Amino acid sequence: MRNGTAVCSLPLLLLTFAHACADTLDEARTLHGNGELDAALEAYTEITNAPDQHSAKDRGTAHNNACVILLGKGAYSEARERCDAALTLRRDQRDNLRGLGRTLNNAGLVHQQLGEFALAAERYREALAINREREDWLAIAINSSNLGLLHTLAGDYGLAAARFDEAIAVADDHPDAPWSAQQRALARINQGVALEKLGAYREALSLFQLVRESAQLLDEGQRALLEVNLGVVYRNLGDPVAALRAFDEAKPLYDALDDRGGLANAWLNSGIVKHEDLANLEGALPDMQRALQIARDSGDRPEEITALLALGRLALSDGSGAAKGYFDLSLALARQTGSAEARWASLEGLARVALTEGDRAQALDHLREAIDIVESVGVGVRTAGVRSDFFGERRAVYELTVSVLASEYATAQDPALARLALNVARQAKARELSDALGRPELAGEAMTQQGVIEFFVAEERLYRWLIPDGADQPMQLHALDADPRALETQINAIYRALARGEQPDVAAAQALAAQLFQALPEAALDGEALYIAPDSFLYRVPFDLLPMASGSPLVETLALGILPSDRLLASAAAAPPVQTGAWAGFADPVIEAADAGPALARRRLAVTLDPLPAAAEELDRIARWVGPESSQHLGSAATEQAVLSALTDGTSVVHLATHAVLDERVGGTAAIVLSPEGDRDGLLTPEEIASVAVRSRLAVLSACRTAADLASEPRALESLTGAFLAGGAEAVVATLWDVEDTVSAAFMDQFYYQLGRGVGAGEALRQAKLALRSTPGWEHPTHWAAYVLVGRLDLDPLGAVRAGSRWSTPLALAALAAGLLALWLATRRRRVPASG
């Protein structure tokens, strides 16, 4: 969806910058200031047409102000002529650098609206250099905002964010200036536009609501702009009625101002909502056609392209046959303007047209080019916390490509096609992770000596690959007979039951297993271990719990490892050897935080969390199995810096017995709750973890909801587990839903006992699950099925401990049984409310 755009031309301020002028120019400026734009334009034209009667300086001012009026009217071609004439005159007036800087800014706006992005950038940068030299802070703020907007339109969101930050910083540095508050508001609107493009709608909404609180600072055009952008956000957050209401608020404002570009944008967004959200095709078509005509009449190329794309999608929906014409036109214009976003969207549309015509080869050509464009833009995104949302908006290109290749494979049964489809799915998963974590250099290392079952969720089908553990066996690709939407509903029902501490429906679990493992050779589940690479909502599936053909759950048969893909993402930096056998535990952090400074954001997230008193006992019990090379960090000592130090110093196992929460301000990014300290808020995010060289072998997240959550898309590529793997860890143990701290203590006691015996991490996790399943009071699946291992199953992180262990096996078993009984009795006495 095309978003509204904030344009800073400041016509009234430009009018006040002229020096002493002739009477006719004064009269023209008065008409302009009174809003009599047609009369003012005529007066400016009279001045520019009489060189013998008016100085070059006055004619430059007249051309500049005429450009401003025409820009506001959406007459961009005429505006360009006036701005070019003003530039010619003002470049010769070296004593009027102020006027030259403002005309350059206006010329940039004109080129931007005409889709001439390279020229627009050149004009803005020249204006910015002049204004920085003159220390004209208002002009600097305007130039920075407009450059940011240009970068947004061109798809370079990282540069856009930097420019908007610069504009806001200039306004903040001059709080007493009369223009400061308005420029801050405009920069925030533009910043919100960039966030919309990235799909970070909640964060954009927060910005727009902040601006709305100071709406008295905005003129009618800026208020209209704000309403359009609010409408876009409401629509993307699932409220199309509120969106239409906002667009209808903006239309009369734009109409009264004769702002053709803004009016076209409001009509287009109305049409998109009617088409895509309300299925009102008859109502959508005239709105879109009206937007296209307004855009063409005014010469607004970006708006024209977006209207063509919208009409193309509408034509695909109603089967009118006009779609190809619309997409061809949008692609031609996109290539002229250099818009990356419009190019990939046009190519996706043409691919869908080709598929309706039965031309799969042509569709694949279009899709490959579209993916190349998305990949290049994704790498350029640098704003932390919203990268994965950017990719999520464009994932459909990858999904459609996989679907086409899978259809080709079903016909030809060529393993090369299955491999190509898998590579696209891998590419999508890797892009999600690298964009989410800001690590475009992530590399994949293939798993060895193990088979992998990999899933990929596309638009209408679920695809599954069986990747054998030997080169002599062919890869298998299946388009499963399962509707992704219905499958997600089934999975959510099972997940919710377990998260509430209820027994999931047995028939539902059997049906889910039958759908996910349909047509799977029995040999695939005959080994001692298996890797599964889920996708999207499949990360909520407790695979260990699913019944096999024998009726027994998978946990009875083999150790299970979860992967982001069949390639284990590892740190690009070479990590030095770890201190094998070392262990660091962190538990029961300070929940309450100050009401100011960095801790304020943390308070908003963690204020409802409960203390975890059993977590300290959990660390004490684990310490028996990990030997003397261990450390414990409790309460206020369980800080972000302490965890990061353990990860980077080479501590073999880092154990976190704390809460995990979701930060809704950045689109659902997870964070581990630790104790605040200094300028750190105590929220350890995936970006922070992935930004360091993790030299720990195993991270154990004995926390609530550390792998997935129904509150957001449960892509592992956005999760904390992906962050540890991206940083360099070999494996992560995490939980799928809330786990009581006493239950966690019992489970971890079992897990570390097995690790201490030299059992690999995957098998150790399975044995801990089996131990709880066979113990009265602990057999409920909500206690043991939440735990998953992401990464290497054969990892042995405590190898050095066994040589010096003072525990004999009989004594260890006795202590383990006694501890399990004590914990069970403690649970009977006190249940800790599940939260986190």
Side-chain angles (χ1 to χ4, degrees):
M1 171 179 287
R2 168 67 187 270
N3 304 314
T5 53
V7 176
C8 309
S9 59
L10 292 185
L12 297 181
L13 285 176
L14 283 169
L15 297 177
T16 64
F17 294 147
H19 295 286
C21 303
D23 291 343
T24 305
L25 184 55
D26 282 338
E27 292 170 2
R29 293 170 65 227
T30 300
L31 291 169
H32 195 164
N34 291 335
E36 300 177 56
L37 301 183
D38 291 335
L41 183 59
E42 184 177 348
Y44 289 136
T45 302
E46 290 178 3
I47 295 170
T48 59
N49 288 341
D52 295 338
Q53 301 176 31
H54 300 280
S55 68
K57 194 171 192 177
D58 289 350
R59 284 183 284 119
T61 300
H63 274 304
N64 178 80
N65 292 350
C67 174
V68 170
I69 291 175
L70 292 166
L71 181 63
K73 286 177 169 291
Y76 303 122
S77 295
E78 296 174 58
R80 177 172 53 187
E81 294 177 5
R82 293 307 191 99
C83 272
D84 286 347
L87 283 177
T88 299
L89 291 166
R90 286 186 159 176
R91 286 190 189 280
D92 294 333
Q93 302 165 14
R94 302 308 299 173
D95 61 338
N96 188 20
L97 289 178
R98 189 182 213 182
L100 176 59
R102 298 191 182 284
T103 299
L104 285 165
N105 179 77
N106 293 332
L109 289 169
V110 172
H111 289 304
Q112 176 178 302
Q113 294 305 113
L114 289 170
E116 299 165 350
F117 291 172
L119 280 173
E122 182 180 329
R123 297 290 184 265
Y124 287 144
R125 291 192 183 103
E126 187 178 354
L128 189 57
I130 290 173
N131 293 319
R132 281 174 173 165
E133 180 181 349
R134 297 184 57 258
E135 295 187 348
D136 187 338
W137 302 112
L138 169 58
I140 291 170
I142 293 171
N143 298 152
S144 297
S145 272
N146 285 337
L147 262 172
L149 176 58
L150 182 66
H151 291 314
T152 299
L153 292 173
D156 197 337
Y157 304 108
L159 287 176
R163 291 299 186 180
F164 296 142
D165 287 343
E166 181 180 356
I168 292 172
V170 169
D172 289 342
D173 288 342
H174 300 82
D176 298 328
W179 48 264
S180 176
Q182 186 185 57
Q183 289 307 309
R184 185 186 301 106
L186 291 174
R188 281 174 173 160
I189 292 176
N190 280 329
Q191 202 170 43
V193 171
L195 289 167
E196 290 173 26
K197 294 285 188 179
L198 288 165
Y201 301 114
R202 288 187 178 87
E203 192 172 12
L205 180 61
S206 296
L207 275 175
F208 294 148
Q209 289 174 334
L210 187 64
V211 174
R212 185 180 250 182
E213 292 174 1
S214 56
Q216 71 277 4
L217 299 171
L218 306 178
D219 60 31
E220 287 190 351
Q222 293 158 356
R223 287 199 298 273
L225 167 70
L226 180 60
E227 290 299 326
V228 167
N229 282 287
L230 276 168
V232 171
V233 170
Y234 284 133
R235 183 252 171 166
N236 283 284
L237 289 176
D239 192 346
V241 175
L244 285 178
R245 189 162 53 242
F247 297 144
D248 288 342
E249 289 283 337
K251 290 173 189 173
L253 294 171
Y254 281 133
D255 205 15
L257 293 167
D258 199 23
D259 183 341
R260 314 316 294 168
L263 187 60
N265 187 259
W267 279 108
L268 179 58
N269 277 301
S270 290
I272 291 173
V273 169
K274 290 176 182 178
H275 170 211
E276 297 184 9
D277 299 282
L278 301 176
N280 180 6
L281 303 188
E282 292 183 358
L285 182 60
D287 285 4
M288 293 181 182
Q289 290 175 330
R290 186 168 184 175
L292 178 62
Q293 192 59 53
I294 294 171
R296 282 176 168 169
D297 290 345
S298 64
D300 188 339
R301 286 291 182 84
E303 198 68 36
E304 181 182 356
I305 292 171
T306 311
L308 288 168
L309 287 169
L311 283 162
R313 296 185 189 107
L314 181 64
L316 277 174
S317 298
D318 65 16
S320 65
K324 187 177 186 301
Y326 287 127
F327 290 131
D328 280 336
L329 284 172
S330 65
L331 181 59
L333 290 175
R335 284 175 171 157
Q336 289 177 18
T337 62
S339 171
E341 180 168 353
R343 278 186 291 139
W344 75 256
S346 300
L347 288 163
E348 182 198 359
L350 286 170
R352 294 183 186 278
V353 172
L355 288 174
T356 63
E357 297 172 348
D359 192 342
R360 290 178 180 168
Q362 183 66 57
L364 284 173
D365 286 343
H366 289 316
L367 290 168
R368 289 190 184 101
E369 185 178 352
I371 286 175
D372 288 343
I373 295 169
V374 174
E375 290 282 311
S376 66
V377 174
V379 169
V381 178
R382 293 288 183 268
T383 305
V386 293
R387 295 184 187 87
S388 61
D389 289 319
F390 160 81
F391 178 82
E393 291 291 294
R394 290 138 184 89
R395 178 179 153 125
V397 176
Y398 296 76
E399 294 179 4
L400 185 57
T401 306
V402 170
S403 296
V404 175
L405 289 169
S407 296
E408 292 284 281
Y409 170 79
T411 301
Q413 290 297 304
D414 182 354
L417 290 170
R419 175 66 64 181
L420 283 174
L422 176 60
N423 287 341
V424 175
R426 286 176 180 166
Q427 195 173 13
K429 292 182 177 186
R431 177 54 54 208
E432 282 178 313
L433 180 56
S434 60
D435 282 355
L437 303 178
R439 294 287 301 276
E441 77 283 3
L442 288 177
E445 177 187 339
M447 300 303 298
T448 58
Q449 307 302 319
Q450 298 289 347
V452 180
I453 297 174
E454 177 136 8
F455 293 95
F456 187 72
V457 179
E459 293 177 329
E460 297 179 355
R461 299 296 295 270
L462 174 64
Y463 296 99
R464 186 195 67 210
W465 290 262
L466 177 58
I467 305 167
D469 57 7
D472 57 333
Q473 301 176 13
M475 176 186 297
Q476 298 181 31
L477 167 59
H478 290 93
L480 300 184
D481 185 18
D483 177 9
R485 291 178 293 272
L487 194 63
E488 183 175 14
T489 299
Q490 291 176 257
I491 291 170
N492 287 347
I494 294 172
Y495 180 94
R496 288 191 180 96
L498 290 163
R500 289 193 298 261
E502 300 171 0
Q503 186 77 35
D505 183 83
V506 175
Q510 290 173 335
L512 178 59
Q515 291 183 80
L516 295 181
F517 298 128
Q518 60 186 267
L520 190 69
E522 291 184 9
L525 303 177
D526 283 348
E528 296 181 355
L530 174 69
Y531 286 101
I532 292 180
D535 184 41
S536 188
F537 54 81
L538 292 176
Y539 278 97
R540 297 190 187 113
V541 176
F543 285 95
D544 275 323
L545 186 63
L546 297 184
M548 298 296 97
S550 63
S552 299
L554 189 62
V555 70
E556 296 277 4
T557 305
L558 46 75
L560 182 66
I562 301 297
L563 297 175
S565 178
D566 80 312
R567 293 181 178 270
L568 180 64
L569 292 164
S571 174
V578 297
Q579 303 168 11
T580 305
W583 176 88
F586 301 82
D588 200 20
V590 175
I591 298 298
E592 292 298 323
D595 291 322
L600 177 59
R602 171 222 173 76
R603 167 172 278 279
R604 293 174 183 154
L605 296 172
V607 68
T608 60
L609 300 179
D610 297 311
L612 299 171
E617 184 178 355
E618 177 179 327
L619 298 193
D620 284 337
R621 299 181 63 80
I622 292 171
R624 297 179 305 167
W625 311 118
V626 297
E629 295 183 15
S630 63
S631 62
Q632 297 186 35
H633 308 262
L634 304 173
S636 60
T639 65
E640 288 181 74
Q641 187 54 55
V643 172
L644 292 174
S645 294
L647 291 171
T648 57
D649 288 348
T651 302
S652 185
V653 181
V654 173
H655 183 100
L656 298 164
T658 179
H659 289 287
V661 295
L662 291 175
D663 185 346
E664 295 297 337
R665 297 165 301 157
V666 288
T669 295
I672 295 172
V673 179
L674 295 161
S675 296
E677 178 187 38
D679 60 353
R680 290 185 175 272
D681 59 12
L683 296 174
L684 185 61
T685 66
E687 299 85 45
E688 292 171 321
I689 296 166
S691 67
V692 301
V694 175
R695 297 187 173 95
S696 297
R697 303 192 69 192
L698 174 67
V700 179
L701 311 183
S702 179
C704 299
R705 292 197 304 250
T706 49
D709 192 282
L710 282 173
S712 67
E713 277 299 310
R715 307 183 196 106
L717 309 179
E718 292 180 341
S719 72
L720 293 165
T721 56
F724 282 99
L725 293 177
E730 296 176 70
V732 185
V733 171
T735 56
L736 293 175
W737 54 78
D738 291 354
V739 180
E740 294 177 359
D741 63 338
T742 50
V743 174
S744 179
F747 185 90
M748 290 301 164
D749 198 30
Q750 299 281 329
F751 174 61
Y752 278 99
Y753 163 68
Q754 297 294 340
L755 283 182
R757 295 177 56 228
V759 176
E763 181 62 19
L765 197 73
R766 186 176 86 93
Q767 290 297 330
K769 293 182 179 187
L770 293 175
L772 262 68
R773 287 188 75 240
S774 62
T775 303
W778 299 95
E779 68 275 14
H780 196 288
T782 195
H783 295 323
W784 56 266
Y787 294 91
V788 294
L789 185 138
V790 184
R792 292 192 178 279
L793 290 166
D794 58 354
L795 180 64
D796 180 15
L798 297 178
V801 175
R802 290 188 301 279
S805 177
R806 54 192 174 83
W807 286 88
S808 66
T809 299
L811 288 176
L813 289 174
L816 196 63
L820 193 61
L821 176 61
L823 283 169
W824 180 80
L825 291 173
T827 306
R828 299 304 94 191
R829 294 191 299 268
R830 175 186 54 79
R831 283 287 187 183
V832 178
S835 62

